[in-house]
Every structure is written in C-alpha cells, then in structure tokens.
Amino acid sequence: MKISVAKSDLETALKVAAISVDSSVNDLSSHYLFRVTDTGAEVLSYGPRLFSRAPFTSSCDGEPGEAFTVEAWRLDKWMAGVADGVLELSFDGSGDVHARGKRSKVRFRSLNPSKFPYWDGLMSEAADVGDVDPRVLSNAMKFARIFVSADDTAKPELCQLEGIEGSFWATDRRGLANVEVRSLENLHVRIPGKDSAPLMKFLGDKDTMANSVFLQKAERSAEDGGGAFAVFKRPDGSYLGVSRPTSNFPTLKVDRDSAPQTAMTLDVAEFDAGVAVLSAGAPKGHESVTFSYDQDSGVVSIAMPSEAGGQDEYPLSLAKVSEGGEKFDTAFTVDIKYVNEISSVLGLEVLNLGLVRKGRGGYVTCDHNEEAEDGNRYFGVIVWRT
C-alpha cells in the first residue's frame, strides 16, 4: 500500500495524533497507525487514557482497512527535516515502511497493525451530547483545573474534573471550583486531571478553534474491556477521546447567589508586588499569605513569616473592603497560588472577592461572569486558615 500526501496536510493530522501518543513505552501506543479508508487515509494513536483520529487528504494505493505503523518520534523527526511538497509513505507488507520526500528517503519499521486496539465499534455507538465553542470549553477547564488534586494515590476521586448538568466541578479540599457552561447545559463528562492539559491542547489548536466541537459519549461493553469515554470531535472528523475515571466524584454544594458578609477588591499587580517583596524575607518556598484589615485606617495588609523571626507586612493601598454593616476583624491565611492562578486564567487586573466567616474558619469566594450572553460563570471558593 502507498499513501501520497502534502507535507502540510500530514502535519495538520499529526498535530492531533501526537497528543495521545505514549512516548514513554516501546509498543504500539508509541506508534502512529496509518490506515486506508473509503475516502482517503487516517492516522490513529492511543495512550493509557487517550485515543485520537485525524483523517487527511491523500492519494492512496491500497484497499480500505489496510494499515501500517511508524514509531511516532521517528516520523516527527523526519517531518521536521524533510522539504515541503508531496510525501510518500509505502508499506511492503513485510515490516518495512519507506518514506520519501524531496531529496529524502528513509526506512522505518512497522509493528503488526492487526494488534492495534481499534475502536471503530465504540465510535459507531457514540451518543451526541451537544456542540460548543472550543474556547468556552477550554476556558472552563482552565479555571476548574486550578482546584484539581494531584494526590491520585490517596484521593483519586479528587484528581478529576466533573461535568454535571452543564457545570464543571473540581476540588482539592483546600478550594473548590464550579464553572457553569451556559452554552452546553447537558454537559455530563468526567475528565482525569492529568488529561486536562492534552485535551486543552486539542481544543486550543487553530484548526479546532475555527469551528465548534462536538461532544460525544461512548461506552465499551464488558466483553470488550469495559469503560466509558468522552469524545471531542471537529467537523473535519478529527477527534480526541478521553477515558472516564471510575472513582466517583464527591457530591458538592455551593451557594453562588447569597451576598458574602464582606467584599474585598484586590488589585492584582499590587498583590503580586507585595508577595514578591515578602517572599524575599520569608522562608524559601513559603506558599501562603495572611490578610488583615484595620477598620480604623481602612488599610488591608498582607503578611508572611520572616526568616529572621516575626512577620513582615505589606500594605495594599489599592485594596478596598466593604463590610456590609458587619465589622470584619479576622486575619486569615490563603495559599498564594489560588489568587495568582484565578487572576491569570480569568485575565483580571482587579479581583472582586467575597469573605465569609463560618464557625472558627471561613472562606474566600470569587464570582466572575463573562460578558457574552452565553459566556461561562466562574465561581471559586478558597478555604482560609486562621
């Protein structure tokens, strides 16, 4: 069999297939699989929890279903050096794949394509969930993944993003995210935290961003190994599939509509400057900051322990507090990463935060609505320490 394809078309397809390749092993999951179809050719790849397909325009000499594989890193390296123009990949059936381009000719080894774990049956039974702007979905995931736990040994149920009834949820028990995706009200999906980055890479690709993506759900029978999957598909037929974790996400509740007891306006640049100054004197790697508010002067300050002893303080002259008729005199400590990542993901220069005391502790809230009518609503909760 032989596949002739423009280098640019193959590059576009490999950008998708490369996302799900497992480069840490030396088996079929580290290979691209090329297969002849009724309309041309496609490249497939898979990893421990991901799988992908990318069809591409080509001229094929072969019967539909004929296939061969090429080790991904080798083909990527060849593609980086070969000149633009028409490329030719041919398979002789005995294990050799010949790759030809302008002033280039190399030979690769193919593994047995019949051993590849094809998922054609799985995709034929996939159910449509809806379509959504990839930017909207990617932005929702970027915010939610701030609060995904990395402790996949002790708390695997917290190491995932849970889509329930149109909202993404995530928690690491120090914080919580709820992102309402208004344009996809029937969103029901569970994504491993470790796979959120490759999925966002797919969603952020310029060819994906050009159109809506279609979300599908698929399940594999127990006879075929079991498991459920979410599939994110482009109009050109390219897609990325993500396996659904089996650990049940905890049931969470959050009150997004009640006004907080106290409101704080935080200038992000001033906060960052204060953290930089205080970190210079704090123990190396210190990750939290303590807020305090002096009602008489109206000044908000942040503080960190000093390596020399005691605490260093930094006044935030641009920060404002609205107490809502109730005195707020509680100093509280939060992890810096939440403030930094929330402001970065949302692209905000000013953070409007809610402060809520509860028992001996309390929490900080951030509630942000995108301006577009069907834009996301981002709600974050950061538990504080006193």
Side-chain angles (χ1 to χ4, degrees):
M1 63 173 288
K2 182 171 66 176
I3 297 173
S4 299
V5 55
K7 180 184 177 183
S8 59
D9 289 336
L10 185 54
E11 285 176 328
T12 298
L14 292 180
K15 278 198 298 183
V16 175
I19 295 174
S20 55
V21 163
D22 185 0
S23 58
S24 65
V25 296
N26 189 26
D27 58 20
L28 274 169
S29 62
S30 66
H31 282 229
Y32 297 130
L33 180 132
F34 290 87
R35 182 167 62 168
V36 177
T37 68
D38 292 330
T39 57
E42 63 186 2
V43 56
L44 311 176
S45 72
Y46 74 99
R49 299 175 304 274
L50 300 171
F51 61 93
S52 66
R53 171 191 186 253
F56 54 91
T57 302
S58 62
S59 174
C60 297
D61 178 11
E63 295 297 320
E66 288 190 280
F68 61 84
T69 78
V70 177
E71 198 167 2
W73 75 267
R74 295 184 185 278
L75 186 61
D76 292 342
K77 199 169 187 66
W78 182 67
M79 290 288 292
V82 70
D84 291 343
V86 176
L87 307 180
E88 184 180 287
L89 300 173
S90 59
F91 181 54
D92 61 10
S94 64
D96 284 346
V97 177
H98 297 271
R100 296 179 176 86
K102 197 177 296 184
R103 300 189 304 276
S104 174
K105 180 180 178 181
V106 295
R107 187 175 62 178
F108 302 117
R109 291 293 293 172
S110 172
L111 296 180
N112 186 349
S114 69
K115 302 296 185 182
F116 193 84
Y118 297 103
W119 44 85
D120 300 325
L122 176 74
M123 290 302 300
S124 68
E125 299 177 2
D128 292 332
V129 175
D131 62 282
V132 65
D133 185 331
R135 295 174 182 82
V136 169
L137 196 59
S138 182
N139 289 340
M141 292 176 58
K142 283 179 184 177
F143 185 86
R145 72 194 296 260
I146 296 171
F147 301 90
V148 171
S149 173
D151 188 4
D152 54 4
T153 301
K155 294 290 182 182
E157 70 275 11
L158 304 184
C159 302
Q160 53 201 17
L161 292 81
E162 182 84 351
I164 308 171
E165 297 179 351
S167 292
F168 268 121
W169 293 82
T171 182
D172 57 5
R173 297 200 182 280
R174 302 278 290 275
L176 175 151
N178 171 257
V179 186
E180 182 182 357
V181 185
R182 295 188 175 106
S183 57
L184 194 58
E185 294 180 352
N186 59 341
L187 173 68
H188 284 273
V189 64
R190 182 179 296 161
I191 300 170
K194 291 181 178 179
D195 294 331
S196 58
L199 176 54
M200 287 191 297
K201 184 176 181 179
F202 174 76
L203 295 172
D205 181 80
K206 66 179 181 64
D207 293 295
T208 305
M209 301 272 283
N211 299 281
S212 294
V213 292
F214 301 91
L215 177 58
Q216 297 179 318
K217 293 193 302 182
E219 294 189 18
R220 182 177 286 152
S221 67
E223 294 178 356
D224 293 329
F229 305 84
V231 180
F232 301 82
K233 191 173 186 178
R234 296 195 316 216
D236 67 2
S238 299
Y239 59 71
L240 182 69
V242 184
S243 65
R244 178 183 174 89
T246 56
S247 298
N248 290 325
F249 191 78
T251 300
L252 301 175
K253 293 182 180 180
V254 64
D255 183 1
R256 300 183 303 176
D257 300 319
S258 297
Q261 298 160 354
T262 304
M264 176 187 291
T265 301
L266 191 66
D267 183 89
V268 174
E270 184 183 48
F271 174 78
D272 289 344
V275 169
V277 168
L278 294 173
S279 296
K284 189 173 182 179
H286 189 74
E287 298 177 345
S288 62
V289 64
T290 298
F291 284 84
S292 62
Y293 172 61
D294 185 286
Q295 190 178 41
D296 295 331
S297 64
V299 174
V300 176
S301 297
I302 54 176
M304 287 187 191
S306 171
E307 193 173 33
Q311 279 201 331
D312 291 328
E313 287 193 354
Y314 187 96
L316 301 176
S317 60
L318 299 178
K320 304 297 180 185
V321 169
S322 173
E323 296 182 287
E326 183 176 349
K327 183 178 180 181
F328 188 85
D329 56 3
T330 303
F332 61 91
T333 302
V334 296
D335 290 343
I336 299 166
K337 73 162 191 173
Y338 293 118
V339 179
N340 285 345
E341 293 186 28
I342 288 173
S343 59
S344 175
V345 167
L346 297 180
L348 299 177
E349 297 180 357
V350 175
L351 275 179
N352 294 311
L353 304 175
L355 310 179
V356 180
R357 283 175 294 196
K358 193 169 184 180
R360 295 184 177 182
Y363 55 89
V364 179
T365 65
C366 175
D367 191 0
H368 176 72
N369 277 283
E370 290 183 327
E371 293 182 2
E373 183 178 347
D374 60 349
N376 298 332
R377 180 181 180 181
Y378 304 88
F379 192 83
V381 174
I382 309 168
V383 178
W384 77 43
R385 304 182 298 282
T386 56

